[in-house]
Amino acid sequence: MKLAVIGGGGVRSMFLAKSISQKAEKLGIDKLVFMDNDEEKLNIYGKMAKHIASLLCPELDFEITTNAAEAIKNADYVITTIREGGDYMRVRDERIALSNGVLGQETTGAAGFSFAMRSVKALVEYCEMVKKYAKPSCKVFNFTNPAGVVSQTLRDLGYDFTYGICDAPSGMLRSFALLYTDDETAAKGEIYGLNHLSYFSSITINGKEMLDELIENDRAYEETDLRYFEKKLLRERHSILNEYLYYFYYREKALQNILNAEKTRGELIYEYNKNMTEELSKLDVEKDFDRAFEIFEHWYGEREANYMAAETGIKRKNPWRFNIFEKDSGGYAGVALKFIEIAGSKKTDSMILCTANNGAIEGLRDDDIVEITCDITPNGVVPHKMKNVDEQNLELIRRVKIYERLASKAIREKSIRSAVEALTLHPLVNSYSIASELISEYLELNKEYTKDWK
C-alpha cells in the first residue's frame, strides 16, 4: 500500500512519520512519500521525518520529493496538510480581521475565509492529480485549514473521495480516558456539528456513560481542554464542547485577550517556526540528528505551551516532549490511519470524521459536510443519526454552516458578492459593513489567487 503526504515539509512532519511508521506493518503500508514544494523545509523536516521512520520501521520505503505527480502516482491514500502562503500570510489574515474589530482565528474566525481562498485553489490542483495519477479507489484526507470550509468546497466541486480530518475530538477523548484509566483508547464518543464547532452528546469510558460525570469533574477543568469553559455552560448545553467553541461562547473575552496580548497566536507560530528553521538550516539534520531534534523539541515545546494562551489567558501546565519510541497517541495522522485500518479489515467500526450529513443531523442539508461519529463500512461511510439535538446547539451549527455554504459558493464561483454575504452571516463578524471591508482587504492580500474574482 502506498501513502502520500502533500505538505511533508511542514514542522509536524515528524509526528506524521512516527504515527505512520508505528502502524505501517500492521496496515500493510510499504511505500510512504512526503512531498513539499518548499525544498528547503523538505530537506529539514522531511529528512528528520525520514530518519524517525528508519528508526521505527526500517523496512518502510520512505521517499521525499518536490514532484507532486510522482508522489501521488499509484497512491492508495493521500493526506493533504499544506499552508499555502506560509506562516506570514496567516499573520496578515488574522491582523486584518483584528484591525476591523473582529476575531481573526484562522479556522473559526474571519481569517479562515482568506486562508480558504488560497488553500482551495492549491488543493484542487492536487485533487486533479489524484484523479489522474492515483489508484481509482484512492481516498484523500484533508487536514488543511479551515477544514470545514475546505472540505465543503472540495465536495461541492465533486471531489467525493475527500474527507476532512481533525485531531481535536480524538485528542479530547484521549485526555478524558487518561483521567480515569491508563488506557488512552478507553473513551468513545458520539459527536455532532462542524469542524471546530462540535458537541459530544455522549462519552463512554470502558463502556460506561460518563458525560455528566465529566461535566462535574473539577480535575477535567484542570487537566483537559475543558479548562477553557465554565462548568455551568457545559451543564446548560448538556454537552462536552470542542475547545474551539471558546471563540463563540466567549467571543468578547477572546477578542480582548488577543488585542491585549503582545503577539497573536499566528505571530508566535511565525516567530517560533522561523527561528527553528534558521537554526536547523545550519545543520546537516541527518548526520547531526540528535542536535537537530533538541532544537526542534525546544521550539515546538514553546509553541505547544502557548496553545490558545493569547486568546484565553491560560497556558498549558505540563511541559511538552516528543518521545520517538513511545506508543503513538495518533494526532491527525491517527485519524487517517484509523480509517485505513477499518477499511482494510472489511468490517464495520466507528470513528469521527468530516463527511456528508446525509440526514444524520435534522435541520441540515444532506450534502452539508459535518463533523460526526460515523460507521466505516465495506459499503462506505455512514454518519450516526443524531436524535434530540439541542435546539441552541443546532442554531449555532446552522448559522456557521450557512456561512460555510456561502464561502464555498464564493470560492467556486469567484464571487465577491457571495464572499461578503458569507462573512456578513458569520457569527464572529455579523456585520455587512465589516464583511465588505474584510473582503476588500482579503482580495488585495490574495490578489495572486483572486485576479479573476468579480
Side-chain angles (χ1 to χ4, degrees):
M1 182 191 301
K2 180 179 179 180
L3 175 59
V5 176
I6 305 300
V11 298
R12 301 175 77 173
S13 291
M14 284 193 288
F15 309 149
L16 272 169
K18 175 183 174 180
S19 298
I20 296 166
S21 299
Q22 285 192 352
K23 292 192 173 181
E25 185 177 356
K26 177 182 178 181
L27 299 182
I29 300 170
D30 53 14
K31 177 73 173 179
L32 179 60
V33 184
F34 275 28
M35 176 272 162
D36 206 292
N37 54 18
D38 186 326
E39 191 166 10
E40 179 190 16
K41 290 180 68 178
L42 186 66
N43 282 325
I44 295 173
Y45 301 107
K47 284 183 177 179
M48 292 179 75
K50 185 175 182 179
H51 183 87
I52 283 179
S54 71
L55 296 174
L56 297 174
C57 186
E59 307 81 20
L60 182 62
D61 182 5
F62 193 131
E63 179 184 347
I64 62 172
T65 182
T66 56
N67 188 320
E70 281 300 311
I72 292 169
K73 186 177 180 181
N74 295 323
D76 296 273
Y77 293 97
V78 175
I79 294 174
T80 55
T81 173
I82 65 172
R83 179 165 290 284
E84 190 71 12
D87 294 325
Y88 176 72
M89 287 293 270
R90 172 183 180 172
V91 171
R92 296 298 306 125
D93 291 338
E94 294 183 345
R95 275 296 173 192
I96 285 172
L98 290 170
S99 70
N100 283 278
V102 298
L103 278 162
Q105 208 281 332
E106 70 158 355
T107 58
T108 59
F113 185 84
S114 181
F115 192 9
M117 293 164 91
R118 301 188 298 273
S119 298
V120 171
K121 188 177 178 66
L123 288 168
V124 164
E125 294 178 9
Y126 292 126
C127 284
E128 286 298 316
M129 288 186 192
V130 168
K131 289 170 65 175
K132 185 174 181 180
Y133 299 114
K135 290 181 180 176
S137 60
C138 183
K139 301 288 188 293
V140 175
F141 302 108
N142 175 63
F143 188 68
T144 300
N145 278 322
V149 173
V150 169
S151 298
Q152 185 67 58
T153 310
L154 291 177
R155 281 295 186 109
D156 288 345
L157 285 165
Y159 301 116
D160 57 1
F161 50 80
T162 61
Y163 296 92
I165 59 174
C166 181
D167 56 344
S170 57
M172 190 168 268
L173 286 174
R174 177 177 177 271
S175 69
F176 295 152
L178 294 176
L179 270 181
Y180 296 95
T181 75
D182 294 326
D183 179 7
E184 62 185 29
T185 68
K188 309 294 182 186
E190 289 292 326
I191 197 170
Y192 66 91
L194 311 177
N195 178 247
H196 287 181
L197 199 152
S198 52
Y199 300 82
F200 280 106
S201 59
S202 168
I203 293 176
T204 60
I205 297 178
N206 290 329
K208 180 183 178 182
E209 180 58 59
M210 296 290 284
L211 183 76
D212 292 336
E213 155 68 22
L214 277 164
I215 290 174
E216 298 301 325
N217 188 335
D218 291 337
R219 281 182 58 215
Y221 296 85
E222 290 287 327
E223 300 177 28
T224 79
D225 283 339
L226 293 193
R227 61 176 61 89
Y228 305 125
F229 303 106
E230 295 168 273
K231 189 180 293 187
K232 64 180 181 179
L233 172 63
L234 272 62
R235 286 174 180 156
E236 291 166 2
R237 298 293 90 243
H238 197 237
S239 306
I240 298 291
L241 276 57
N242 183 297
E243 69 242 44
Y244 284 86
L245 277 164
Y246 171 83
Y247 297 104
F248 293 92
Y249 287 108
Y250 300 90
R251 177 179 55 83
E252 77 292 344
K253 291 183 179 180
L255 178 58
Q256 196 58 54
N257 285 339
I258 295 170
L259 291 172
N260 290 343
E262 183 180 345
K263 294 174 182 175
T264 65
R265 171 77 175 160
E267 286 165 343
L268 286 172
I269 289 177
Y270 173 72
E271 184 177 285
Y272 296 149
N273 288 351
K274 181 174 180 288
N275 291 338
M276 178 166 60
T277 303
E278 285 178 354
E279 286 191 42
L280 290 171
S281 67
K282 298 171 184 175
L283 299 176
D284 184 325
V285 297
E286 293 174 298
K287 292 182 179 178
D288 198 1
F289 178 81
D290 289 345
R291 174 58 186 149
F293 188 79
E294 287 178 9
I295 293 169
F296 173 83
E297 197 169 47
H298 166 73
W299 286 112
Y300 204 90
E302 288 291 312
R303 170 176 168 155
E304 285 298 293
N306 286 284
Y307 176 71
M308 285 184 74
E311 300 93 324
T312 65
I314 303 170
K315 291 186 71 170
R316 288 177 169 174
K317 296 179 180 179
N318 297 328
W320 181 85
R321 294 288 182 269
F322 181 41
N323 187 325
I324 296 170
F325 299 99
E326 189 176 61
K327 182 182 176 183
D328 183 52
S329 61
Y332 67 90
V335 181
L337 295 173
K338 177 73 170 176
F339 185 103
I340 294 170
E341 181 178 3
I342 298 171
S345 74
K346 307 297 183 185
K347 298 178 182 178
T348 295
D349 202 351
S350 64
M351 63 176 293
I352 298 166
L353 199 64
C354 293
T355 189
N357 181 50
N358 286 331
I361 304 174
E362 289 186 11
L364 297 181
R365 297 177 184 173
D366 284 349
D367 60 354
D368 283 337
I369 302 303
V370 295
E371 183 170 85
I372 197 164
T373 307
C374 304
D375 284 337
I376 312 302
T377 78
N379 296 318
V381 175
V382 181
H384 288 189
K385 179 80 171 177
M386 295 296 161
K387 299 178 181 178
N388 302 317
V389 172
D390 182 274
E391 185 178 44
Q392 291 187 42
N393 297 352
L394 180 60
E395 182 63 24
L396 182 55
I397 291 166
R398 282 169 53 85
R399 183 71 178 272
V400 175
K401 177 45 70 177
I402 291 171
Y403 153 72
E404 290 184 353
R405 289 180 199 145
L406 285 166
S408 169
K409 182 174 188 283
I411 292 168
R412 287 182 287 114
E413 298 179 1
K414 302 172 183 177
S415 166
I416 296 173
R417 176 181 172 177
S418 294
V420 173
E421 289 177 343
L423 283 183
T424 298
L425 286 173
H426 194 301
L428 300 181
V429 178
N430 203 34
S431 164
Y432 176 79
S433 56
I434 294 175
S436 298
E437 180 59 31
L438 284 169
I439 293 303
S440 176
E441 293 188 49
Y442 285 146
L443 286 168
E444 176 61 26
L445 177 68
N446 295 299
K447 56 187 176 183
E448 177 185 343
Y449 302 85
T450 59
K451 294 174 184 176
D452 48 356
W453 282 52
K454 56 186 179 182

